[in-house]
Amino acid sequence: MTPTASILIIDDDKGVTYTLNSLFQKLGHSTEFCHTLSDGLETIRKTHFDILFLDVMLPDGNGLEFLKVIDQLPEAPMVIVMTTFADPDGAEQAILNGAWDYLEKPLSLHKISLQLMRALQYKEKNSSSNRPVFMKRQNIIGDSKEIQSCFTIAAKAANCQASVLILGETGTGKELFAKAIHENSNRSDENFVVLDCGIMTETLVESMLFGHTKGAFTGADKERTGIISLAHKGTLFLDEIGDLPMSAQSSFLRVLQEHRFRPIGGKKEIESDFRVVAATNKDLDAMVKQNKFRHDLLFRLKSIILELPPLKNRTDDIKALVLHYIAVLCDRHGLLTKGFSPDFLEALQTYPWPGNTRELINVLDSAIAMAQNEPTLFPVHLPKKIRIALAQSAIKKPAPVPVPSGDIALKTQTVSSDFTSLKALIHQTEKKYFESLFSVTKGDIKTICRISELSRAMVYARLKKYNLSRN
Amino acid sequence: MKLFYFSGNNEISKTQVLDIIEAHAPENSISIHTTIESFSEHLRQFHSEPVMAVIFLATKAELMNILFLKDLLTNIPLILILPDREKETISKGTLLHPRFISFIQNDFNELESVIKKMIDRYCS
């Protein structure tokens, strides 16, 4: 019995897509179709397909070239190529690039069904039920749903050769994930080479990427090996890829396509089998629209997209992060591992972490230093910047007071009965303010005076008024 | 921002690199170390501000010693100046995942532009 399948058709001929779509659905399969390569790639990235029926002559490119991109994706579909202009060279290229079969149009429905059945039977016999397992997590800590989905994508990336684009705010761990993909891949014994595109000038970045011969330009007094060569059989990590100058983008795109390049000033081309992982916190799609980033380079880079969540979106992981990094940092400082109070953890879980995990680690380091020989961390050990932010966020804004307009004497009889007195409103607001401030500062009078900008006597008066005491 | 500078024994190049750093780093931000022990001790200390490091290695032996500090250097943006251009030396240097690699025989013009950009990034 033929297993049911998920099928994608990429063909700009709407008659073909309609006919195939109807046939496959009649056979009990689920089908989608696209009319361009770029739409097809977007669709494949979002949904897993068992089989791809791929036309050759498409409006935005040649399907046979697209095969190379498809072949590198994790769990790539089996591809059946269709073409009106079949030729032996095309057939050879299709098969060499990983196609299951190469069919000439017009297509007989019987032949299509037969090829589909054979492909699905082969796939069923050879499919593995093992999902890729992410063995080495380096310092990536967390078990939240958000980070688990990142691990799943990273594990798939580690098991294939496709380019990876890692997106995320500063401090979310883009380089950590890049290293983890490398360490879990079959390239882990080779170099992991970093190019920080943001710290290079335009001329330097090309020299760094491709290398140069001695005398290639003024100042080139020694030969330099490019990092693309250094990354041969390994991984090339392009950090801040959004800062790569346009001229370098063009040159690098060619290398990404051909895996061959010539050093600046060199006569001979060099081959390099490298795998690219790129990272950025910029919106590259927006940069493409602004003509600041090449759309074809972006297309090549985002074979696999890994979006890292900001820390505020995975607060479930904060406890695990705190436990891990307190132990690491205490060990580094030669201290016994410290504990932490529940309100210390609560404070960390409340703070929005604009600097993400990197900021959390720095804050923990600071708290450990503040605590000195105390065995337990409390909110008072947190940096003042954090405590102020928490105190300020704890103050709830008062409900907006309805302000009568026009002639007050005439409107008095229509004012809502919820309109409270000004004195009561001030009392409520002040009480909440001091309750929050007292809690966060653990009743430290000096700090309360400084934050509230009140004298010691005034602070004591308010603590007495609102019955706040360290006891 | 705190900038750690670790240097080896090549006096002329060491001075040149230090001159470049001093020209661009904020006042009182540079911490100079000439021994692994001192460098290691300072890397273990608490730093409230962003940290970057420039490591100048005059010999292969110094490179091997620095590799022992790999874990302490993990989250620190690093510029590495290597003693030679041999494949094995460069390969070992990449284990530290530096942001930029230069060599002691270079004229350091490129190094200066990179140091300036990194300092600007971590100061802002």
Side-chain angles (χ1 to χ4, degrees):
Chain A
M1 186 181 147
T2 311
T4 56
S6 176
I7 303 173
L8 176 65
I9 308 160
I10 303 178
D11 197 316
D12 59 334
D13 185 331
K14 290 180 182 158
V16 168
T17 52
Y18 177 80
T19 305
L20 291 180
N21 186 45
S22 304
L23 170 67
F24 298 147
Q25 285 187 351
K26 215 185 261 183
L27 293 172
H29 304 299
S30 74
T31 320
E32 287 187 44
F33 54 85
C34 301
H35 300 300
T36 62
L37 286 175
S38 51
D39 284 347
L41 185 61
E42 286 290 333
T43 306
I44 284 174
R45 269 210 299 271
K46 287 179 204 158
T47 312
H48 168 69
F49 292 97
D50 298 300
I51 307 286
L52 165 62
F53 279 85
L54 175 65
D55 188 22
V56 173
M57 303 299 289
L58 285 152
D60 58 342
N62 184 310
L64 296 180
E65 289 297 315
F66 188 60
L67 278 174
K68 295 176 203 170
V69 176
I70 294 288
D71 196 45
Q72 292 188 331
L73 293 175
E75 297 181 10
M78 293 174 72
V79 182
I80 297 175
V81 173
M82 320 177 283
T83 179
T84 309
F85 306 103
D87 70 280
D89 290 337
E92 183 183 357
Q93 191 182 355
I95 302 302
L96 285 174
N97 286 342
W100 167 256
D101 205 352
Y102 181 84
L103 303 177
E104 186 175 6
K105 294 177 184 176
L107 304 160
S108 103
L109 296 185
H110 171 73
K111 190 167 184 184
I112 289 268
S113 305
L114 191 61
Q115 289 302 337
L116 176 62
M117 182 185 74
R118 286 174 179 163
L120 289 175
Q121 284 172 344
Y122 176 83
K123 197 173 171 65
E124 193 187 42
K125 276 195 186 138
N126 288 283
S127 71
S128 165
S129 60
N130 293 326
R131 289 279 173 235
V133 177
F134 212 47
M135 298 299 293
K136 299 176 205 165
R137 287 167 50 143
Q138 313 297 80
N139 286 328
I140 307 172
I141 309 298
D143 289 308
S144 64
K145 185 167 62 90
E146 290 78 11
I147 210 71
Q148 284 296 338
S149 70
C150 294
F151 283 137
T152 303
I153 296 170
K156 288 180 182 174
N159 278 297
C160 72
Q161 303 299 317
S163 301
V164 184
L165 180 61
I166 303 177
L167 305 173
E169 294 175 8
T170 303
T172 48
K174 297 188 287 294
E175 186 165 345
L176 273 181
F177 266 90
K179 287 178 192 172
I181 289 169
H182 172 77
E183 286 299 322
N184 283 279
S185 72
N186 59 5
R187 294 172 177 264
S188 59
D189 289 337
E190 303 295 337
N191 291 336
F192 176 87
V193 185
V194 180
L195 180 72
D196 187 333
C197 303
I199 59 170
M200 308 277 166
T201 59
E202 194 164 328
T203 44
L204 181 56
V205 83
E206 293 210 38
S207 171
M208 286 295 294
L209 274 171
F210 308 117
H212 58 75
T213 56
K214 184 177 170 181
F217 48 83
T218 311
D221 53 345
K222 295 260 183 332
E223 179 184 305
R224 177 192 274 279
T225 305
I227 62 167
I228 291 177
S229 281
L230 292 178
H232 179 58
K233 295 194 183 299
T235 303
L236 174 59
F237 176 53
L238 298 173
D239 200 6
E240 312 282 358
I241 185 77
D243 290 338
L244 191 64
M246 286 296 271
S247 59
Q249 289 179 33
S250 311
S251 315
F252 186 66
L253 175 62
R254 276 195 293 278
V255 181
L256 207 51
Q257 288 166 329
E258 322 256 318
H259 282 260
R260 303 176 66 86
F261 66 99
R262 194 175 290 125
I264 299 172
K267 291 189 177 127
K268 239 175 91 172
E269 275 197 336
I270 300 173
E271 277 190 23
S272 179
D273 169 24
F274 62 95
R275 190 260 182 96
V276 169
V277 178
T280 184
N281 58 7
K282 293 189 174 160
D283 183 347
L284 293 183
D285 288 312
M287 287 181 72
V288 165
K289 286 181 187 149
Q290 293 158 8
N291 293 323
K292 291 179 181 169
F293 203 88
R294 291 186 64 121
H295 77 277
D296 43 5
L297 177 58
L298 180 57
F299 180 81
R300 279 273 169 182
L301 289 174
K302 58 178 188 176
S303 298
I304 298 175
I305 296 179
L306 174 53
E307 281 194 68
L308 301 183
L311 188 55
K312 66 181 180 211
N313 289 1
R314 56 174 189 120
T315 51
D316 290 349
D317 287 332
I318 286 180
K319 185 173 181 183
L321 285 162
V322 169
L323 284 166
H324 174 81
Y325 281 107
I326 284 179
V328 165
L329 293 166
C330 285
D331 180 60
R332 185 177 291 187
H333 296 310
L335 301 168
L336 290 173
T337 301
K338 294 183 187 300
F340 51 89
S341 65
D343 49 352
F344 179 85
L345 180 62
E346 194 184 319
L348 298 181
Q349 288 168 331
T350 309
Y351 185 67
W353 300 110
N356 296 290
T357 311
R358 192 179 297 143
E359 186 184 7
L360 171 64
I361 297 168
N362 287 342
V363 163
L364 290 174
D365 209 6
S366 168
I368 290 167
M370 278 299 279
Q372 295 186 333
N373 295 325
E374 291 179 51
T376 307
L377 298 174
F378 290 98
V380 71
H381 297 131
L382 290 169
K384 291 190 174 86
K385 182 188 88 166
I386 306 281
R387 285 156 54 201
I388 291 168
L390 288 168
Q392 288 170 340
S393 70
I395 299 165
K396 290 193 182 71
K397 288 183 185 158
V401 173
V403 177
S405 59
D407 185 0
I408 295 176
L410 284 174
K411 296 270 177 163
T412 304
Q413 62 195 354
T414 63
V415 166
S416 163
S417 58
D418 290 333
F419 197 173
T420 189
S421 74
L422 180 61
K423 192 175 174 183
L425 180 63
I426 291 172
H427 176 90
Q428 282 165 28
T429 308
E430 195 180 66
K431 183 169 188 265
K432 280 187 183 147
Y433 176 81
F434 276 96
E435 280 171 350
S436 302
L437 187 56
F438 190 83
S439 170
V440 169
T441 60
K442 301 276 303 172
D444 180 53
I445 302 298
K446 193 173 168 188
T447 309
I448 294 173
C449 289
R450 189 180 51 75
I451 294 174
S452 62
E453 294 181 5
L454 294 174
S455 69
R456 194 173 273 264
M458 291 172 87
V459 166
Y460 274 124
R462 275 152 181 84
L463 296 183
K464 189 177 174 186
K465 182 178 173 184
Y466 300 119
N467 210 22
L468 296 169
S469 147
R470 268 185 278 196
N471 300 324
Chain B
M1 188 213 77
K2 199 80 186 170
L3 193 156
F4 288 122
Y5 177 54
F6 176 86
S7 68
N9 290 322
N10 185 313
E11 289 298 324
I12 296 169
S13 301
K14 184 172 80 175
T15 312
Q16 260 186 300
V17 173
L18 189 52
D19 286 344
I20 291 170
I21 292 171
E22 285 175 343
H24 297 290
E27 214 174 310
N28 300 323
S29 66
I30 307 169
S31 172
I32 301 172
H33 305 276
T34 54
T35 66
I36 289 286
E37 292 74 22
S38 155
F39 190 29
S40 165
E41 193 187 313
H42 275 79
L43 286 173
R44 289 174 195 279
Q45 286 175 7
F46 157 70
H47 303 283
S48 58
E49 63 269 89
V51 170
M52 60 175 278
V54 178
I55 297 180
F56 184 105
L57 300 166
T59 65
K60 283 189 172 70
E62 285 179 1
L63 171 57
M64 296 310 293
N65 284 337
I66 278 290
L67 285 174
F68 285 118
L69 304 185
K70 187 171 177 296
D71 284 345
L72 291 175
L73 292 166
T74 298
N75 292 319
I76 296 179
L78 175 58
I79 293 174
L80 198 58
I81 300 150
L82 292 174
D84 58 63
R85 292 166 188 269
E86 288 171 31
K87 194 177 168 188
E88 195 190 327
T89 304
I90 297 174
S91 193
K92 287 205 161 47
T94 61
L95 291 174
L96 296 170
H97 303 146
R99 298 267 137 182
F100 181 73
I101 292 178
S102 185
F103 304 91
I104 61 174
Q105 309 96 339
N106 278 11
D107 67 5
F108 298 143
N109 285 334
E110 294 172 345
L111 178 66
E112 180 162 12
S113 73
V114 170
I115 285 177
K116 184 176 181 311
K117 282 213 171 198
M118 273 183 73
I119 288 171
D120 287 345
R121 175 192 281 176
Y122 294 110
C123 273
S124 63

